[in-house]
Amino acid sequence: MNAQQRRDYILERLKAAAQPVSATALAGELGVSRQIIVGDIALLRAGGMDIAATPRGYVLPAPA
């Protein structure tokens, strides 16, 4: 899985999640370090995605 596929997976995982998803959980699912996930989230945000960080993990805010 390349970096873009990993970021696509993260987005789909967050869209499908009913609760926040931690970077540690995503890292375990993808077989990478937690820091790679944090970097991917930063890149997704820089690309315009509205991803919120909570104490329990990442979420996509509900549409207004």
Side-chain angles (χ1 to χ4, degrees):
M1 176 178 290
N2 66 34
Q4 185 59 53
Q5 290 170 325
R6 191 176 58 241
R7 288 189 287 273
D8 290 342
Y9 176 88
I10 291 168
L11 275 179
E12 290 306 314
R13 180 73 168 78
L14 292 176
K15 287 177 185 175
Q19 297 180 0
V21 181
S22 72
T24 302
L26 288 167
E29 291 172 22
L30 294 167
V32 296
S33 72
R34 183 188 158 282
Q35 191 56 42
I36 293 292
I37 300 299
V38 171
D40 284 340
I41 295 290
L43 288 170
L44 289 166
R45 285 176 168 163
M49 292 304 304
D50 186 15
I51 301 172
T54 72
R56 299 189 69 108
Y58 296 108
V59 295
L60 293 175

